[in-house]
């Protein structure tokens, strides 16, 4: 926070502060226990994550990026393979594909839920496709039935990039248990925010879990025996212990975010500046053609197509050429935290210039229009109102 008046995009100190006594006790326990790498703290955290997420196996790793990398390594993905992922996502989704030696094959997104378009996934499948990575963007699950159907028909595994979606549900089942493997991030801005970098891989498949565990420690099932090459993808015991304190609160964090999202929606709609495209209706019925209906308001609010959307980000679309950036500048001048996720789709990144490109009209439009507003659970109603006043003032 830069001054008293500012509204932060995120302030992890507020949630952590409420748990200070328990966090200090966990820190003290690890400090005194002297086991800093893997061990009991990690095993306990993994068991609790598996139970919460409804999966057989949860394996703590060093980051969300490493979760994706090790998941693909466990599937034996490498040179000559293709992996499908959205172009409108965080860089790590495709960066890790590249690092295995495989080729990222990008798909376009849907305009209202921001998640990847299953029709484009189907179009991009080839005989070289070795995995599909849907991203549960901003905390809402991708259209998993359609994606799993496409994958199953071709015998291709699905890796959920659930980095932003711990606790999100799809037809009553939690993200991370909806595909072959699930990957989570505990980066401090995530709903379950850690104290540094950490991540998690989930799966129902015992053999894959065993491979991930081995790859996490340089590919060795036992000390100094390496049937294959892995890496150091371990989670710290300290991270696991501290995250274990926050895990029981993750549902509460999501509820607070949902309440903030509902309040934003209510205030923006009451002010006549926004509309929600298809709240509560199934995504497929509304976004199947992937086209954009003309906006009747300058702002589109995030569509809730799947329950439970956990709002890691509350992302609005600001319609009209250049209008998003104008609003962004006004918000920043008033010390209101906001961010653009993501200003450049991955097919436009210089490092992927050699990849055969396609047409990604929705992703390119989203990159011009999307704006994330403060949504963290401890945001006060005064702060939320300031954000709304600033935005409604901009459109007045
Ligand atoms: C969609 C997505 N995938 C992967 C990652 C990578 O996670 P980490 O930062 O923990 O490496 C992130 C984190 O920001 C993300 O948002």
């Amino acid at each position: 926070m830069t001054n008293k008046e500012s509204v932060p995009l995120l302030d992890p100190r507020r949630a952590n502060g409420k748990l200070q006594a328990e966090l200090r006790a966990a820190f003290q326990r690890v400090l005194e226990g002297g086991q800093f790498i893997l061990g009991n703290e990690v095993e306990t955290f993994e068991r609790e994550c598996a139970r919460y997420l409804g999966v057989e196996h949860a394996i703590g790793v060093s980051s969300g990026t490493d979760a994706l990398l090790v998941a693909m390594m466990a599937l034996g993905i490498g040179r000559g393979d293709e992996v499908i992922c959205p172009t409108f996502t965080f860089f790590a989704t495709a960066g890790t594909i590249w690092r295995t030696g495989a080729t990222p094959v990008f798909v376009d997104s849907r305009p209202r839920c921001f998640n990847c378009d299953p029709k484009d996934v189907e179009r991009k499948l080839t005989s070289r496709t070795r995995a599909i990575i849907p991203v549960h963007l901003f905390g809402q699950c991708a259209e998993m039935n359609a994606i799993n159907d496409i994958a199953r028909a071709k015998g291709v595994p699905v890796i959920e990039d659930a980095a932003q979606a711990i606790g999100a549900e799809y037809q009553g089942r939690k993200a991370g248990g909806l595909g072959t493997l699930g990957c989570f991030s505990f980066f401090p801005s995530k709903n379950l925010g850690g104290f540094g970098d950490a991540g998690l891989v989930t799966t129902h498949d015992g053999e894959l879990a065993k491979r991930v565990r081995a790859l996490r420690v340089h590919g060795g099932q036992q000390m100094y025996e390496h049937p294959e090459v892995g890496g150091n993808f371990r989670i710290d015991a300290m991270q696991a212990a501290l995250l274990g304190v926050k895990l029981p609160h993750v549902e509460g964090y999501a509820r607070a975010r949902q309440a903030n999202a509902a309040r934003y929606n209510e205030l923006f709609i009451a002010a006549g500046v926004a509309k929600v495209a298809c709240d509560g209706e199934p995504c497929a019925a509304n976004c199947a053609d992937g086209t954009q209906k003309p906006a009747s308001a300058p702002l589109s609010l995030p569509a809730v197509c799947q329950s439970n959307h956990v709002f890691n980000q509350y992302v609005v679309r600001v319609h009209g050429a250049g209008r998003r950036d104008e609003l962004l500048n006004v918000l920043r001048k008033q010390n209101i935290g906001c961010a653009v996720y993501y200003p450049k789709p991955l097919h436009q990144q210089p490092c992927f210039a050699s990849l055969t490109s396609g047409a990604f009209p929705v992703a390119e439009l989203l990159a011009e229009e999307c704006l994330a507003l403060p949504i963290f659970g401890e945001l006060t109603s005064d702060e939320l109102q300031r954000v709304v006043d600033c935005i409604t003032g901009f459109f007045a």
Side-chain angles (χ1 to χ4, degrees):
M1 277 182 283
T2 51
N3 64 38
K4 202 158 102 0
E5 291 286 294
S6 69
V7 181
L9 180 63
L10 176 75
D11 184 0
R13 292 170 302 181
R14 299 190 197 178
N16 294 339
K18 290 184 186 171
L19 298 172
Q20 221 183 102
E22 289 168 74
L23 290 168
R24 282 182 192 280
F27 178 86
Q28 194 72 21
R29 192 174 68 235
V30 178
L31 187 69
E32 285 168 10
Q35 162 106 46
F36 300 118
I37 304 285
L38 301 178
N40 285 345
E41 295 288 349
V42 170
E43 284 162 26
T44 304
F45 178 62
E46 289 177 342
R47 257 195 321 274
E48 283 166 6
C49 283
R51 196 176 50 210
Y52 172 64
L53 296 169
V55 292
E56 289 290 317
H57 308 277
I59 303 117
V61 293
S62 31
S63 68
T65 303
D66 287 343
L68 288 162
L69 184 61
V70 79
M72 278 182 269
M73 289 170 76
L75 290 168
I77 289 167
R79 207 163 300 281
D81 296 338
E82 293 177 356
V83 177
I84 293 177
C85 75
T87 182
F88 190 66
T89 178
F90 181 64
F91 181 77
T93 317
T96 49
I97 298 172
W98 185 272
R99 286 172 61 197
T100 66
T103 303
V105 175
F106 295 120
V107 292
D108 207 1
S109 298
R110 282 180 163 169
R112 285 177 277 276
C113 65
F114 311 129
N115 277 323
C116 68
D117 178 357
K119 284 195 172 154
D120 208 19
V121 172
E122 199 161 20
R123 275 194 292 271
K124 302 276 169 70
L125 267 176
T126 73
S127 57
R128 298 200 298 173
T129 308
R130 290 286 173 271
I132 302 169
I133 310 187
V135 180
H136 303 320
L137 206 63
F138 306 142
Q140 172 162 241
C141 286
E143 184 61 46
M144 289 304 290
N145 281 351
I147 292 163
N148 280 333
D149 285 351
I150 296 164
R152 208 173 297 117
K154 300 280 181 185
V156 171
V158 173
I159 302 173
E160 299 172 73
D161 183 340
Q164 304 180 1
I166 191 155
E169 287 179 14
Y170 181 85
Q171 299 182 353
R173 288 163 58 218
K174 287 207 162 52
L178 305 168
T180 314
L181 290 144
C183 299
F184 292 88
S185 165
F186 302 126
F187 186 81
S189 65
K190 302 298 193 261
N191 282 24
L192 180 55
F195 303 79
D197 281 310
L200 190 81
V201 178
T202 52
T203 183
H204 298 297
D205 182 323
E207 276 310 304
L208 280 175
K210 211 165 136 192
R211 276 181 67 71
V212 170
R213 285 189 189 284
L215 289 163
R216 177 174 69 169
V217 285
H218 300 289
Q221 308 256 358
Q222 59 192 58
M223 285 287 266
Y224 306 119
E225 274 294 316
H226 301 274
E228 59 187 330
V229 177
N232 174 358
F233 301 127
R234 296 179 299 240
I235 187 173
D236 292 342
M238 191 66 86
Q239 278 299 342
L242 296 172
L243 283 163
V245 171
K246 291 181 81 176
L247 181 62
H249 300 275
V250 77
E251 295 271 304
Y253 297 151
R255 277 196 299 275
R257 285 167 179 269
Q258 288 159 351
N260 285 342
R263 186 72 183 138
Y264 270 132
N265 288 358
E266 193 185 324
L267 294 172
F268 285 132
I269 289 167
V273 298
K275 66 177 181 102
V276 182
C278 53
D279 202 0
E281 293 176 42
C283 193
N286 290 277
C287 307
D289 62 2
T291 54
Q292 183 203 8
K293 292 216 178 83
S296 57
L299 274 189
S300 280
L301 305 179
V304 177
C305 307
Q306 312 295 345
S307 61
N308 188 30
H309 186 332
V310 294
F311 284 102
N312 183 237
Q313 304 296 346
Y314 177 88
V315 174
V316 297
R317 284 179 57 187
V318 187
H319 302 295
R323 292 293 274 165
R324 189 271 314 275
D325 292 337
E326 287 169 30
L327 176 56
L328 181 75
N329 287 335
V330 169
L331 287 160
R332 287 199 172 145
K333 275 201 186 104
Q334 297 202 22
N335 284 322
I336 291 173
C338 50
V340 174
Y341 305 123
Y342 297 93
K344 195 182 259 197
L346 299 184
H347 68 276
Q348 294 177 338
Q349 294 295 343
C351 62
F352 295 138
S354 63
L355 300 179
T356 331
S357 212
F360 305 98
V362 176
E364 288 174 16
L365 187 67
L366 294 178
E368 282 170 21
E369 293 192 348
C370 279
L371 184 64
L373 305 179
I375 188 70
F376 62 101
E378 301 72 29
L379 188 74
T380 67
S381 47
D382 283 355
E383 287 172 326
L384 190 148
Q385 187 67 54
R386 261 200 78 206
V387 180
V388 171
D389 290 346
C390 181
I391 293 175
T392 52
F394 173 81
F395 290 117

